[in-house]
Amino acid sequence: MRNSSVDRHSSPTSSKSNAGGRRRIMIWLLSLAAFGSWAIFTFFSQGMIMADRSEQLIQKEKQKQAATQTEQQLQTEVNRLQDPEYIGEIARSKYGLYKPEETPIIGDQK
């Protein structure tokens, strides 16, 4: 009999402790689900942001490459303008200027 009376008293107490344990487990699972949802949302939103930024980066790199090419062309032109022969060539072709000892040869224009 003694065993049966102990079983009766331990049964209500164990169900109350199980309820507290279940509550803690549910709170833990809900917090885990909330964190997981936040992590998934953040992952996808950052993925979209990174895709946009990579497109912008590609466009900026193309602009930089075009600017670098233009800079190189202008630097080549500046270097050529340092040469007196090139300056004389431009003066003859664009402006029709000649040195005093030169005789211009003009071809037939049709």
Side-chain angles (χ1 to χ4, degrees), residues 65-76:
Q65 185 179 13
T68 303
Q69 185 177 8
T70 304
E71 180 187 11
Q72 288 174 348
Q73 289 173 349
L74 291 173
Q75 189 62 40
T76 302

Side-chain angles (χ1 to χ4, degrees), residues 98-110:
Y98 297 96
K99 292 182 182 178
E101 63 269 359
E102 286 183 343
T103 308
I105 300 175
I106 300 175
D108 291 336
Q109 295 177 349
K110 292 184 179 179

Side-chain angles (χ1 to χ4, degrees), residues 74-88 90:
L74 291 173
Q75 189 62 40
T76 302
E77 186 68 20
V78 167
N79 289 339
R80 290 176 70 191
L81 286 171
Q82 301 297 323
D83 185 18
E85 289 182 21
Y86 182 69
I87 294 172
I90 290 175

Side-chain angles (χ1 to χ4, degrees), residues 36-71:
S37 300
W38 170 80
I40 290 170
F41 172 76
T42 303
F43 177 76
F44 285 112
S45 67
Q46 286 181 357
M48 290 188 292
I49 291 170
M50 285 178 58
D52 291 341
R53 295 279 168 88
S54 65
E55 289 177 18
Q56 291 174 359
L57 177 64
I58 290 170
Q59 290 175 354
K60 295 292 182 184
E61 285 177 349
K62 286 180 182 178
Q63 290 175 353
K64 179 183 174 189
Q65 185 179 13
T68 303
Q69 185 177 8
T70 304
E71 180 187 11

